[in-house]
Amino acid sequence: MAGAGGGRPSIFPTLLYADAKAAIRQLTEAFGFTELSVYEDEGGSVTHAELVQGNGAVMLGSQGRGGVFDTAMKGAGPAGVYVVVDDVDAHHRRAVEQGAEILMPPADQDHGSRDYLARDLEGNVWSFGTYAPGTGA
């Protein structure tokens, strides 16, 4: 199975933003992601970016650049992404300090996780919590 070994994630949420540069700032400053790579075209649009958090990553770019993926995503609406973090309360404090919109403060869940919900600048819902489901692999 492709991507099953080597400690590399095999699933990457992929998002398009009207203002990808602002999204990168928020994801790094408020939500603690680390910028791995950012590629821009001559006009300054983000053609591809990779941000990492723990052993996972998200890929993103600018809307309106054309191409098959951009066309397929038109009108697709916001996405929801779950990210595992060690200290939910500290992570939440950082997000609040950076002005992130919090939809649900940290709370213990019936399935054993402690998590909170936030919305990014363009409406995507991010869940940050302690639950790390196994894949059975």
Side-chain angles (χ1 to χ4, degrees):
M1 178 165 89
R8 300 170 94 182
S10 60
I11 298 175
F12 296 88
T14 306
L15 306 168
L16 292 179
Y17 289 91
D19 188 343
K21 290 178 182 177
I24 291 168
R25 274 192 307 279
Q26 183 184 40
L27 292 171
T28 56
E29 294 173 8
F31 298 146
F33 281 78
T34 300
E35 191 177 293
L36 183 63
S37 62
V38 177
Y39 301 94
E40 297 180 16
D41 64 17
E42 293 173 4
S45 290
V46 176
T47 59
H48 179 80
E50 298 170 12
L51 307 179
V52 297
Q53 170 73 269
N55 67 351
V58 62
M59 295 187 286
L60 63 94
S62 297
Q63 290 176 339
R65 295 184 41 258
V68 175
F69 187 71
D70 186 48
T71 301
M73 291 294 288
K74 275 190 183 7
V81 181
Y82 186 87
V83 180
V84 177
V85 297
D86 291 328
D87 187 339
V88 171
D89 295 286
H91 195 275
H92 173 260
R93 278 191 298 278
R94 176 183 179 156
V96 169
E97 289 168 2
Q98 292 295 321
E101 179 185 356
I102 304 301
L103 302 176
M104 181 188 81
D108 295 325
Q109 305 300 319
D110 291 340
H111 58 277
S113 182
R114 180 164 181 78
D115 47 49
Y116 79 96
L117 298 176
R119 188 183 320 273
D120 71 19
L121 298 172
E122 295 194 19
N124 298 299
V125 176
W126 292 81
S127 303
F128 299 95
T130 58
Y131 183 67
T135 60

